[in-house]
Amino acid sequence: GQSLEQPSEVTAVEGAIVQINCTYQTSGFYGLSWYQQHDGGAPTFLSYNGLDGLEETGRFSSFLSRSDSYGYLLLQELQMKDSASYFCAVRNYGQNFVFGPGTRLSVLP
Amino acid sequence: AAGVIQSPRHLIKEKRETATLKCYPIPRHDTVYWYQQGPGQDPQFLISFYEKMQSDKGSIPDRFSAQQFSDYHSELNMSSLELGDSALYFCASSMTDNRDTGELFFGEGSRLTVL
């Protein structure tokens, strides 16, 4: 089977740093992606880790440890517009991506 | 830049009716995915097509079918609709290279409401 786990909710204040963790168990694994989704909107791609280590894209960074089946998304200098749901997604050996349950981030002033 | 186009954006149907959703992927993208997202849920993979052939199948009910046409657009056909089919249906596309970078490009979604 395939399963991904993420915290359901995270709350932080503007300017802070927040880390959203993702653990996974899948039948195959090519890499871990992160997506942001605002209410009623489409998921938008943030970051991808195909190899172990840290990938940095502006205020967002993502980390992967294949041996631990674990990754995280790090958001720095939080802004109000970062309030959204964040999904990790595993690209597995099939031609599809399996999404985690999502973490709802609330950024407070 | 061109994005993934989905139609209709909103659809209201009665139970036991049939609905068809359309997706036009980004030009030159060779893979199309369909996802279903219920309220407060994560996107659930339904089916994908690579170069017009079905490439993978997820939790798609037998009442649903999909295909990809010669112009690469895809259609999701849903019959005998049930209340539980009410959801946002997303189409996403990617190129082989994008798949290697883990990036899917999503359309804005089609919101289906079954009454």
Side-chain angles (χ1 to χ4, degrees):
Chain A
Q2 302 179 103
S3 68
L4 290 87
E5 291 187 8
Q6 302 178 233
S8 58
E9 292 183 20
V10 173
T11 302
V13 296
E14 271 189 300
I17 299 173
V18 71
Q19 179 174 311
I20 299 174
N21 298 322
C22 173
T23 57
Y24 59 87
Q25 282 186 315
T26 61
S27 55
F29 182 85
Y30 278 133
L32 188 70
S33 302
W34 289 91
Y35 287 81
Q36 177 192 62
Q37 186 179 30
H38 288 98
D39 286 345
T44 56
F45 174 80
L46 293 176
S47 186
Y48 175 73
N49 294 78
L51 301 173
D52 284 0
L54 191 68
E55 293 286 337
E56 297 181 79
T57 310
R59 294 188 296 115
F60 296 167
S61 302
S62 59
F63 171 83
L64 174 66
S65 168
R66 285 171 169 260
S67 59
D68 296 322
S69 297
Y70 163 76
Y72 67 72
L73 179 69
L74 191 73
L75 299 89
Q76 303 182 73
E77 301 173 16
L78 281 174
Q79 302 174 9
M80 297 293 289
K81 67 178 182 180
D82 297 330
S83 292
S85 292
Y86 292 84
F87 295 92
C88 59
V90 165
R91 183 167 83 84
N92 60 20
Y93 290 160
Q95 298 293 329
N96 78 85
F97 292 74
V98 178
F99 281 74
T103 299
R104 189 168 189 86
L105 171 64
S106 298
V107 180
L108 305 177
Chain B
V4 176
I5 306 297
Q6 292 188 244
S7 68
R9 293 293 311 279
H10 301 273
L11 192 60
I12 298 175
K13 291 286 185 178
E14 301 276 343
K15 281 195 303 184
R16 292 180 289 278
E17 285 191 320
T18 298
T20 297
L21 306 181
K22 295 185 179 182
C23 169
Y24 296 84
I26 293 173
R28 294 186 299 282
H29 279 197
D30 53 22
T31 308
V32 167
Y33 309 78
W34 285 98
Y35 284 86
Q36 177 193 57
Q37 188 175 30
Q41 304 295 313
D42 56 289
Q44 292 289 316
F45 171 71
L46 294 178
I47 195 167
S48 62
F49 294 88
Y50 172 68
E51 285 291 344
K52 294 163 280 185
M53 299 290 289
Q54 181 182 309
S55 54
D56 202 4
K57 203 170 181 179
S59 52
I60 184 169
D62 292 341
R63 300 177 290 107
F64 292 10
S65 65
Q67 57 183 323
Q68 188 176 28
F69 294 86
S70 57
D71 64 351
Y72 287 89
H73 94 273
S74 178
E75 295 185 3
L76 178 66
N77 299 293
M78 300 174 283
S79 62
S80 303
L81 286 170
E82 302 174 356
L83 295 178
D85 296 329
S86 296
L88 255 178
Y89 290 82
F90 287 105
C91 172
S93 72
S94 71
M95 291 177 62
T96 304
D97 287 346
N98 292 136
R99 192 165 65 242
D100 291 339
T101 62
E103 184 170 8
L104 296 180
F105 296 81
F106 282 83
E108 292 301 310
S110 293
R111 183 175 294 282
L112 171 65
T113 302
V114 181
L115 302 177

